[in-house]
Amino acid sequence: FTDACAACAVCSPTRASVQTGRYPARLGVTDWIRARFQGGLIGPDGKNPSGYTGGRNRKLLCPENALFMELDEITLAEALRPAGYVSCHIGKWHLGQEAHFPEKQGYDFNHGGCDLGQPPGYFDPYRSNRKFYEIPNLPPRKTGEYLTDREADQAVRFIKAHKDGPFFLNLCHYCVHTPLQAKKDVKAKYDAKYKANPTTNHKNATYAAMVESVDDSTGRIMAALDELGIADRTLVIFTSDNGGLLGPTDNSPLRSGKGFPYEGGIRVPWIIC
């Protein structure tokens, strides 16, 4: 589809919309959700913030942003469960803290879904020295393993384990989000490419290499479906939560990029197979 648009120009609102089929304004999630390491602490009442924010010099006030997607929202996983589907979330969730993780929203398995909107780093172990800044449900496995490859491996394992029945896989790569980190050999390929063609609008080899890693992951999943003989009865949807990040990439001829409600911020890839 050439004219697909995300529900919002930033991640959490779009992700909540994908999960529920509802617009961000309906959900009360209209901006990206602050993780705990960013100060997004839920009050003792366990409720989302209410009211409005903005100074007296502002023409418009904004609603206080949510810190999680409410549990009474019906997710894809919850809608599919009565039909016998086994559901798995892998990668970025960014819709709340432990009480609102994927397993609290209908998913049977959760590998990497937490309150983080960005990983501490893209190489195993996926943690930092900063409090709450780690992926708690993706334990270290192989030092230096690339996060996107790990997510792809978890996805293929899930597919193989549940190939004989209906399954739903919600794979949300942390790529291509900051911090921009890529595999050295793939980055070197794009360094050479951009050096040979300095007039291109795209000059960030790291960003390009990260995109390629997502492509490789998609290829592994498609190959697994073919290998298992279930491709003809499996629906695959590929899309994104917002447009490209200004600076590292260029959305031309679309105007602007991530964070802005122009087409550069909301036009996304959408492929259905």
Side-chain angles (χ1 to χ4, degrees):
F1 293 83
T2 60
D3 299 332
C5 289
C8 190
V10 290
C11 48
S12 298
T14 298
R15 291 168 184 275
S17 290
V18 169
Q19 288 300 314
T20 64
R22 306 181 76 205
Y23 285 107
R26 284 281 189 185
L27 293 161
V29 182
T30 54
D31 198 359
W32 60 274
I33 293 174
R34 275 58 177 171
R36 283 170 299 175
F37 88 97
Q38 296 162 319
L41 300 179
I42 299 172
D45 62 358
K47 295 182 179 179
N48 264 317
S50 60
Y52 293 85
T53 181
R56 63 175 60 187
N57 295 325
R58 295 287 185 92
K59 293 183 178 180
L60 298 173
L61 297 178
C62 291
E64 292 280 359
N65 193 50
L67 292 172
F68 54 85
M69 183 175 71
E70 298 285 353
L71 292 177
D72 59 2
E73 297 294 344
I74 300 173
T75 66
L76 279 166
E78 290 169 323
L80 291 169
R81 178 171 282 175
Y85 277 76
V86 177
S87 298
C88 177
H89 172 86
I90 297 173
K92 179 175 174 177
W93 178 247
H94 205 192
L95 292 173
Q97 298 166 26
E98 280 89 345
H100 305 89
F101 277 7
E103 55 266 39
K104 305 295 185 180
Q105 297 277 20
Y107 286 89
D108 300 294
F109 302 96
N110 173 26
H111 303 286
C114 59
D115 64 329
L116 298 185
Q118 62 202 76
Y122 280 93
F123 295 94
D124 187 314
Y126 315 110
R127 58 177 56 155
S128 73
N129 295 325
R130 191 170 179 178
K131 188 176 182 181
F132 299 130
Y133 196 18
E134 65 177 356
I135 302 177
N137 39 26
L138 204 64
R141 187 173 73 170
K142 181 181 178 182
T143 300
E145 183 177 28
Y146 196 61
L147 178 56
T148 308
D149 295 339
R150 171 69 178 276
E151 291 163 333
D153 188 57
Q154 297 283 172
V156 171
R157 285 170 181 251
F158 171 75
I159 292 170
K160 289 183 176 180
H162 298 90
K163 61 182 176 59
D164 296 324
F167 65 84
F168 170 53
L169 171 63
N170 189 56
L171 172 58
C172 303
H173 286 299
Y174 280 95
C175 261
V176 291
H177 200 289
T178 55
L180 300 187
Q181 299 172 355
K183 293 187 281 188
K184 290 183 179 180
D185 57 334
V186 185
K187 178 181 180 298
K189 181 177 76 172
Y190 287 98
D191 280 327
K193 180 177 181 179
Y194 295 154
K195 184 177 181 180
N197 182 20
T199 60
T200 178
N201 289 341
H202 298 276
K203 296 181 173 66
N204 193 308
T206 301
Y207 198 86
M210 294 175 77
V211 172
E212 179 167 320
S213 289
V214 174
D215 290 346
D216 290 341
S217 170
T218 307
R220 284 189 61 189
I221 290 166
M222 300 302 290
L225 296 175
D226 286 332
E227 176 189 336
L228 298 170
I230 59 174
D232 61 346
R233 63 176 178 86
T234 304
L235 176 66
V236 180
I237 302 173
F238 182 95
T239 189
S240 181
D241 53 1
N242 48 247
L245 179 64
L246 292 176
T249 193
D250 187 325
N251 301 301
S252 298
L254 304 179
R255 181 180 180 183
S256 197
K258 177 181 179 178
F260 297 89
Y262 301 112
E263 290 218 337
I266 58 172
R267 183 86 72 86
V268 293
W270 189 22
I271 304 167
I272 298 180
C273 176

